[in-house]
Amino acid sequence: MKASILSALYEADGYVSGQQLCDKLAVSRTAVWKVMNQLKEEGYVIESVPRKGYRILERPDCVTAEEVQSRLQGRHAEWNIVYYDRIDSSNNEAKRMAEAGEQRTTLVLAGEQTGGKGRRGRVWVTPKDTAIAMSLLLRPSIRPEHASSVTLVMGLAIANACREFCNVDARIKWPNDIVVNGKKICGILTEMSSEVDYINYLVIGAGINVNMESFPEELQQTASSLRLLTGAKTDRAGLIAACIEQFDRCYALFEKTQDVSLLREEYNALLAGTGGQVRVLEPGNEYTGISRGIDEKGDLLVEREDGTIQPVYAGEVSVRGIYGYV
Ligand code: BTN
């Protein structure tokens, strides 16, 4: 109900009367009044004028489930969304929920992470209320070897959402990062529980650098934030909603073929470094080649010196651009 009241307030051009809210949501005046008080306690500034109704004047910059859901009303209601002010890691929480039997597609959001995880055992810092830390719990009916394609779907969704919502030239650094002007603004960590031929669940965690105003010196050459790139604060809940809508669209196309063939063209158009040199670091086999975009399986096609094309599987290797981070 809180999310529906918030969306009614956001959508209204002026005041919304208590009666309108009661009729729309089929609840009592007292129930509406209670929610208004809760919202005020959470930092929303809501004006209430007798015989006119309620009007929202200010909202806190938060990414609570209600705030995100209020942006999705009517367009996307199926996901279970949960929010924690402070948690070790949203990926860990999504895994705990999966292990406890959660069957719904669930998005875990965190205001702050105290044990955020990056890939290859690295630490991922999510400062309080300035970034996006989100983890999507999915139980897809695909084979474990196709799980890495879902990371590509999420990467494409986030790149598109950043482009449309923040108007930045977001590109994908295959397979897990989103970059703008050669600097990383988002990293994705996918974790999986599976049998040999069956996925129990997938957790796709994404950390987006949104409103940070600075980075530690050692990251300044390689990382940036949407705030530093655009000069403006981004509404994080709105960006999360844009990511959810994009993921939904892209994932539906992925599900049709169980691969990325229907997304390949769109993906390759946003892929960073195509035509540039990359170094492939496979266990026991390192080589240099030219990046030629992804194929329908999501493998990166690398042209070797002898002209042969080598598909590189996202789950197994690391690819580095030769010049700079991308
Ligand atoms: C990387 O680039 O190394 C991947 C970073 C992934 C960070 C996100 S933030 C949300 C989710 N929770 C985590 O602990 N990690 C991922």
Side-chain angles (χ1 to χ4, degrees), residues 5-126:
I5 290 188
L6 276 176
S7 11
L9 290 170
Y10 288 142
E11 280 158 21
D13 188 16
Y15 294 89
V16 191
S17 76
Q19 195 56 50
Q20 274 173 309
L21 291 171
C22 296
D23 295 346
K24 191 171 173 195
L25 305 172
V27 292
S28 67
R29 283 233 176 200
T30 322
V32 169
W33 180 78
K34 273 191 187 154
V35 171
M36 292 298 174
N37 284 342
Q38 277 172 18
L39 289 171
K40 285 177 191 169
E41 267 165 36
E42 287 169 22
Y44 293 84
V45 181
I46 298 169
E47 184 188 31
S48 48
V49 176
R51 280 186 292 280
K52 277 188 168 172
Y54 300 98
R55 189 163 66 125
I56 199 150
L57 297 178
E58 242 175 72
R59 58 172 195 82
D61 174 31
C62 66
V63 293
T64 56
E66 291 83 11
E67 190 58 48
V68 173
Q69 259 149 358
S70 73
R71 316 306 176 84
L72 291 166
Q73 288 293 308
R75 284 172 293 159
H76 193 295
E78 296 91 58
W79 289 16
N80 176 37
I81 304 182
V82 292
Y83 167 78
Y84 294 87
D85 275 333
R86 192 163 193 257
I87 202 160
D88 54 346
S89 145
S90 55
N91 265 33
N92 286 355
E93 179 57 21
K95 289 200 288 182
R96 286 190 287 264
M97 291 177 78
E99 297 292 344
E102 179 61 69
Q103 296 298 316
R104 291 170 293 178
T105 295
T106 295
L107 186 70
V108 180
L109 298 167
E112 179 183 4
Q113 293 190 122
T114 52
K117 301 182 299 183
R119 288 193 306 280
R120 297 172 206 283
R122 286 188 288 250
V123 168
W124 183 267
V125 179
T126 306

Side-chain angles (χ1 to χ4, degrees), residues 48-301:
S48 48
V49 176
R51 280 186 292 280
K52 277 188 168 172
Y54 300 98
R55 189 163 66 125
I56 199 150
L57 297 178
E58 242 175 72
R59 58 172 195 82
D61 174 31
C62 66
V63 293
T64 56
E66 291 83 11
E67 190 58 48
V68 173
Q69 259 149 358
S70 73
R71 316 306 176 84
L72 291 166
Q73 288 293 308
R75 284 172 293 159
H76 193 295
E78 296 91 58
W79 289 16
N80 176 37
I81 304 182
V82 292
Y83 167 78
Y84 294 87
D85 275 333
R86 192 163 193 257
I87 202 160
D88 54 346
S89 145
S90 55
N91 265 33
N92 286 355
E93 179 57 21
K95 289 200 288 182
R96 286 190 287 264
M97 291 177 78
E99 297 292 344
E102 179 61 69
Q103 296 298 316
R104 291 170 293 178
T105 295
T106 295
L107 186 70
V108 180
L109 298 167
E112 179 183 4
Q113 293 190 122
T114 52
K117 301 182 299 183
R119 288 193 306 280
R120 297 172 206 283
R122 286 188 288 250
V123 168
W124 183 267
V125 179
T126 306
K128 188 170 157 46
D129 297 337
T130 52
I132 289 175
M134 59 181 184
S135 300
L136 181 63
L137 164 62
L138 278 180
R139 294 189 186 268
S141 327
I142 54 172
R143 292 182 59 83
E145 60 269 29
H146 297 151
S148 57
S149 303
V150 186
T151 305
L152 305 190
V153 175
M154 181 61 92
L156 178 60
I158 295 175
N160 275 326
C162 291
R163 294 176 79 85
E164 73 178 26
F165 199 77
C166 306
N167 206 14
V168 289
D169 185 23
R171 307 214 151 242
I172 305 160
K173 179 180 178 284
W174 183 90
N176 295 302
D177 293 344
I178 308 299
V179 295
V180 179
N181 299 345
K183 291 191 177 180
K184 176 165 169 171
I185 59 156
C186 167
I188 300 174
L189 170 68
T190 298
E191 298 185 76
M192 169 166 78
S193 155
S194 70
E195 313 284 314
V196 175
D197 57 349
Y198 174 82
I199 295 180
N200 293 322
Y201 63 82
L202 268 186
V203 169
I204 309 139
I208 311 180
N209 300 335
V210 186
N211 290 324
M212 291 93 145
E213 291 184 69
S214 62
F215 284 89
E217 209 178 322
E218 64 276 16
L219 292 179
Q220 282 172 10
Q221 293 307 311
T222 52
S224 192
S225 72
L226 291 165
R227 172 87 192 238
L228 291 171
L229 289 158
T230 62
K233 260 188 107 175
T234 290
D235 161 23
R236 290 176 299 143
L239 178 56
I240 293 169
C243 291
I244 293 174
E245 284 175 0
Q246 281 287 343
F247 183 85
D248 226 25
R249 178 186 68 82
C250 296
Y251 192 71
L253 292 171
F254 168 77
E255 273 190 312
K256 276 191 182 165
T257 55
Q258 305 273 309
D259 64 19
V260 291
S261 46
L262 297 174
L263 295 165
R264 183 181 176 189
E265 209 181 306
E266 186 180 338
Y267 191 98
N268 280 334
L270 293 186
L271 186 61
T274 307
Q277 276 199 308
V278 286
R279 182 145 193 89
V280 179
L281 311 172
E282 262 173 3
N285 183 23
E286 287 193 24
Y287 58 90
T288 300
I290 308 288
S291 165
R292 297 291 181 208
I294 62 162
D295 66 11
E296 67 289 342
K297 291 206 295 261
D299 292 350
L300 186 71
L301 301 173

